[in-house]
Every structure is written in structure tokens, then in C-alpha cells.
Amino acid sequence: MTMRPNTMRTRASACAAILTLLLACTFACHAPDGEGPDQLAGSGWSRGESRLDDITNGLDDNASRGLINDGRGLTGAGTSALGPPGLEFLPDGKSRFIPPSVRNIPAGTDFDDYVVIERADGTKERYGPEHIASLRAKLGDDDLGQPLPLARTDVDGRVTLNLASVTVTHRFENPYASKIEAVYVFPLPQDAAISDFVMQIGDRRIRGIVREREEAQRIYEAARAAGHRATLLSQDRPNIFTQSVANIEPGQTIDVATTYFQTLPWRDGAFEMVVPTVVGPRFNPAGSRDGVGAVAASHRPGSSGQATEVGYLQRSADAPHVLGLKVHVDARMPLGAVTCDSHPVTIERPDDHSADLALRRDDVPNRDFVLRFAPKGDGLHGAVAVHRDPESGEGWFTMLIQPPEDPAHDDIEAQPREMVFVVDCSGSMEGEPLAACKRTIRRCLDDLRATDTLRVIRFSDQSSALGPDALPATPENLRRALAYVDGLEATGGTMMEQGIRAALQPRTEPGRRRIVTFLTDGFIGNERDILRAVHDHVGDARIFSFGIGSSPNRYLLERMASLGRGVAAFVDVDDSSRDQVDALFRRIEKPALADLRIDWQGADVHGVEPARLPDAFAGRPVLVHGRVRGPLPASIRLTGRAGNLERSHELAVGEARADATLPKLWARARIRTLHDAMSWAPTPQELEDEIRALALEYGLASDFTSFLAVDASEVTAGDHGTTVRVPAPMPRGVRYDTTVSGSPVSGSR
Amino acid sequence: MIAFRLLVTLAAALLAFGNPPQDPAATHAPGFQVLDVVVDTGAIPLAAWQLEVTVEGALLVGVEGGEPAAFRDAPRYDPKALQGDRIVLAALAVGDELPRGKLRVARLHVTTNGSSGNLTPVLRSAVTADAEGRRFEAHLEVQASGEGR
């Protein structure tokens, strides 16, 4: 059927609507690079008793493809390492495939170290752990170890002021001789508003649609069965997602680009952007079925019995795929320091306001990427950005609230405190994480006041404590506490709920403020149980969480701190974040304003998130999302308590226009609140319905909505083939043998 | 014994005769189809377009970009409209080379419940604009492409 525009029922503002919609598009869309990676694909395997298991080798791309496509049964086809292409069995039971293009791999090469390969033309290449892949998949009943289908992940971030738009592109390649479905569990920031999802096949780009989770799953399965290429993105936790790509034909490449928006927090003198790259191995209590299982990559899928499952490769150097990352920062004002302690990066400053940052080389995705930048000047003074619907006038705003320094603050008598330190001593904390934990506690203990009391609680399979009651912070008791902390060892599971109850349930001495500091990697799969326990027992206590390690569960740690009206900080195992830890502990000393309230001065403001405001700390401004009918007021009044005194500040509100990302960010914040509340609500169905409706209206991924893209234009031949699950490397500093089910000394992970 | 086998065979044949082979559509298994968005701009270069369309019996499962390089990126859709079974799409050309003439500017990938025959898209509104942001009259249609059945 056809229509001509002059006969159509068009709205008068159609052109404006186009522009509005398209403005949003331009902010959201960064097409993935079309260039193929210059990378190494790995192949090889070792022989177990009855099946092929883990593998090591460094091969060039063509060589691994040659192995896959030649169709020969390679098992048992042993030849010399120095001879023509073939399979070599090594003395330790491992084996490796020597590609046609490689003449000489030195005998006795340690594959956990560096490999020098001399090519037929005499050139030599040195492959380090970052290149040597441990890639294996088992197709059907054959016993061939094969490279895995996820070739690389590319992250492209664009930051304007403190609003980030980040596109994460996963490149799936099928190196096998038959069709496959690739399944990959990966992390994203817990507050990411995922709003776009594009499947790219060659130069064709198909934008995904948000559908109810079950409906999307049903359609995806039907498309897979019918031979259509399709991809599905489902949220398993606010920071864990499963991506499935169906009907990838042999030799084919499919890129899947996921775009999210994020408001970057201001932390201790700088905006901070974190890109997680790996899901840490989670512990799930006995009886749990809705957790996140951690199993050896060689295990049969589903062996953990959990709803979500990640397979891990044994050695930290193993790289199932590589990570590329670049970020453009436009501060819209003179830009000060730009730093990245987590990765080796290049930083260019094209002008005074901006910076371009990129990884120096492709890296192993085994730790969080952390970027910090700050405008020049004396810090942050608060900011407001508003987006208005052009038709209704309804506004969505985001506001950074930084209470001014109170000159009288230092004179205010500090309230006596009960300082509680809760230490995660489970298996995943063994080694560097627990050492980082101990360093952190020592620094905190040094800063206790004589009027404080003190408790130290440890938990793993069970919880125990320094003593039955809080101890006065005398020098003698501080020495006892230090000795107790020094003697802590990590082993067993992560029964965090016991630690929470031990910290929050006992009565507090009247007039004393309880401050609980959790030190943990947060590697648990039952986050809802933990948040419910915190909600039920927190009372008037304040919670500060220190996330320990290279890739902690930031979702859990941030939400625990939020429920306890405190803040979270993150401590890497290499002590690079030491200054931030010290800064945070100084903040705990005296919040700028506790029990914060906002008077909107008569403006019609509603839907403020978070509804229960955290305490405001110097250097940690409060971020608020909300909606407004009509104008925002010229100023707002902040009221709170400083020490035992009521304090009030009037702050000017300068309204700056922002684009259509703000409604999505507000909806994401609202969904987060509802999601938390589902943990303890007696009838969560209403909350679930509200989350689903919000996510569908604003086009967001959630627990109850998924992104789906189907290529209905073509049907691939044959059935949908084998499902290949992409394994993950171990997070840096985390031990495989104490965290992964099926490892030699693993517990019930 | 032979008579018994004959009886069983006859009974089976009768049963089969009474249950003709099932029409795949009658099982209501999901099917997948493709609809093309085609615009004829005449001599005017196309810089942007927007449309609203409804397609009874179909659910949108993907939006693909068009053939001209300027419209290769997949159009944006309004998620709120989808809740009312309306498909609202918009696209803005990228690059300096704006196409003109008859163009396939987008492709809609849809799923049906298997009972639908030919889909009948109903165009509710459409707008086309030139590089200056001015609306101009163009012939626009949404049609089944015949692919993906």
C-alpha cells in the first residue's frame, strides 16, 4: 500500500519529532569498526584420560583456520614438532598442532611463558601470554579441541561532561566446519542504561528490539530453529548479561554492538569511568538455583545447576579473546588530569577540553578498566542538566549535589562511633585480595578515635569475631585487632549473610553511631539474599563497602552501601588505589550532611531517585535523577545534620539543556530502586510489572526485558548446529583452584 | 496373521486418510518475514525520513538499514509506540552524498504466528525532509519483499 505525504495524517511537529529522535540517535550510535583484527587465534589441546581438555599454543590466524577447515581427523595423527604440519604430543600429556606456516617451535617451550616462532620465511615472532590463547571447544562427539567463536571485544566510549555513551562490540567468528550458536556471559556496569543493540552481518546492520524476556526468548528459539541468524541479549543481574548468537555459518563473522549510557560518578576529586571486562567466579549457597555458577571451562554446560553459568580457563594468561578499548572525553571545560591505573594506555590531548585515550595494545579481559578525569579548578560545585519533551514540556533531570564546606564543621563534636569491620575470608580472597584487605584495615585502624569502639568480624563458611562485644579503641585493643587481622586466612565459601547479621543484629550502645565497613570481592551469586539481609537489619547504621580486587562485584557493593546510606570504594590488589582508600576513610570521619533532605521550593518535582538520599560526604557529591513538570526552581534548599546540629544550605540551580539520554537514565535509576525492593517485598509482582512497563516504554534491558534481533531475510542451511559457550579468563589476582567448581581444591562454587 | 497385518495396515491407511497432512501454517509455528520501506524522492536528495506503520499479525524483531550508503545505519524506532502495536521509525542520512530517486531506505524484520498469509502494512503517516530540514512530497510505501518466508 502507498500514501503520499500531502494526504497523510501527519502531526504539525513531525519535523521536530524527526530531529528530536535523530538527535538521540547521533548520541547513541557508534558503528563498530569494520576493520578485521590483526590478531592471533590459538589452537591446540591436551589429552586427558578420555577426552581432550585444556590446550596451549600460539598460532597464526590462517593456521588455525587450516586446522579447522581441512576436515581431517587429527586425533592421534602425531608428527614431529620440527617436521611438516601435524600434531605433536608433548611429554606432559599436552599436545599441539603445528601449522603449515610455522617451521620451528623450540623444543621444551614453556607455553605459560613466551614463545618464539620462526616462520618459513625466516622471520621470528615472539608471542607473550597476552597472545597465547587457550581455546577449546567440543563439537558433537568429536574430541577435537578447537578455537572459540568470540574473537575480540571492542569498547568505544564517548564522554561528554559526566555522561558516557559506550558501545561494546563482540566479534563472533565461526572457525568450525559446521554451524554454531555462540553463548557468552559478560559484564557491564551495574548502572548502565542499555538502550541499543545492533547485529552486523557484513555491511548489513539490524537494530534489535526490546521485548518481554520470555517473548524474546521464544522468538529467538524459533528463529534459531528456522535457520535465521538471530541474537539475544538477556540480563541475568544488573551487571551480568548473556548474549546468544544463532546460526553462525562456517567462516562467517557477526558483530553484535551493545550501547549503554551512564552517568559517571565523581569520586574523590575526579569523574570515574569503569568498564568491567570479566565476571568473577561466584559462590552460591547450598540449595541456590538462581545463582551464577563458576565451573571449569571443560565442564559440561549446566553442571553448576545455576541459572547462569560461566566457564573459566585455568591460567591467568589464558585469553579466550582480546580486548581493544578507546575513549574520547569532552569535558566541555578545561580538562585537568586524565589517568588510568588499571591498564597501559596512550593519552592524547587534541585540545584543552578533551582527551583521547586507548589501550596501548589489545589486552586480556581479566580486570576492570578504570579511567579518571577532572576539570581544571578547585573541584566540583554541582551541576544540573534537563531534557524536556518538546510536546508535553515534561522534564527529566540529573543533578549533582555538593554541599558547600561548612567552616564550623570541624568544631562540631563528633558523635561516638562503633566501628565494625567485616572481612570476607572465603576462598576467592586467598592471596593478593586478602593481603589488600589487611592493608586497608590496618590503615583504617590507625585512624580510629579514642571515643570509638571496635569490632572485627570474619566470614567464609561461617562467621566469627574478635570478641563477643565491641571493644573500646584503646591501644591494647587496637594491637589485639591488628593481630587478629594478621592471622586471618581465606578458605571456604562466601556466607556473607552471616557476616551481615553478625555486624548489624546486635544492639548498639545508645548515642553511638554504628559504621560498618565491608571488605569483600562480592563474588556471590545470591545478591538478593544479601540485599534483603542488609535492608532488614541496617536500621540507623551506615555501611561503607570496600570492593577488593581487580574485578569486584560492583553492583553488590554499591547497592549495599546505598542501602546503608554510605559509599563504596574499590581497592585493587596492587595497592594502586591506596590514596582513594585513605580519602574514603577520612570521609567516614564526618559526613558533610547526614540525613539529607531536599526542599524543591514549590517546584513540581516527582520521581526523585534515590528516594532515600545518602549522606553527603565531602568529595562524594550526591547524584539525583528526577522528573519535573514546569520549570525547576532557581535554587533548592538542602537540609541535614552535621554532628548533632541541623544545617541548611541554599544551592543555586542553573538549568543546562541535555539530550534525550536523560529520560533513559532516569528510568534506569527507577528500575534499580524497584529491583532492589523486589529483594524484600512481600508481593514483588507489582514491582516486576512496573519494571517491565518502564523498560518497554524507555527501550531498556532489564530482568524482565531483553533485546532481540532476527535476520528474517535469509535462512541458513541445515539445523542450528552446536552451541559453543565462550569461557572467561580468571580475574587477575583470583585463584582458580579455590574458586572454580571442578578445580582440584574447589568448594561449592 | 497375514489377515491381521492387512487389517492393521488398512486401519492405519484409513486413519491417515482421515487426517490429511497438516498445513504448516495451521500449527501456528512462528514464521518470519521481511517488509521493505521504499521511498521515491524524485529529483530531491533525501536527508531524513520518519514513518508510522501498523502490521496486523506481526511483531517487529529487527530493523535494518537501507541500500544507499547514507541510510545504511539501521533506523531508530520508538519503543513506546511498539507497546501500542505501532511501528515508528526515523533515520537521518550520514555523509555528504544524499541519495535520490527510488530507494529502499529500511527493511523491517517481523515474526508472525504462522497463521498469517500476506501481511498488510498500513501506513499511518510519513515525512521526508531534504538537507535543509524542509519537508517535501515523496512517494513512500511499505511492502512485503518476498524474502524470509
Side-chain angles (χ1 to χ4, degrees), chain A residues 25 83 159 269 279 327 483 559 673 708:
Chain A
C25 305
V159 178
V279 175
V327 181
R559 300 319 296 152
T673 298
L708 165 80

Side-chain angles (χ1 to χ4, degrees), chain A residues 66-126:
Chain A
L67 166 66
I68 303 312
N69 292 333
D70 66 7
R72 292 176 299 166
L74 289 167
T75 307
T79 60
S80 164
L82 301 178
L87 188 71
E88 178 198 17
F89 297 115
L90 300 174
D92 62 358
K94 293 178 180 175
S95 57
R96 63 189 181 196
F97 177 74
I98 311 300
S101 57
V102 176
R103 283 283 180 82
N104 184 11
I105 296 178
T109 295
D110 179 358
F111 286 95
D112 289 337
D113 196 353
Y114 286 87
V115 177
V116 177
I117 292 181
E118 181 180 341
R119 297 183 174 281
D121 62 4
T123 59
K124 293 181 179 179
E125 289 189 32
R126 186 168 181 265

Side-chain angles (χ1 to χ4, degrees), chain A residues 364-380:
Chain A
V364 179
N366 66 352
R367 61 199 186 278
D368 292 351
F369 170 85
V370 183
L371 164 68
R372 290 170 59 80
F373 63 94
K376 276 181 181 164
D378 57 351
L380 190 73

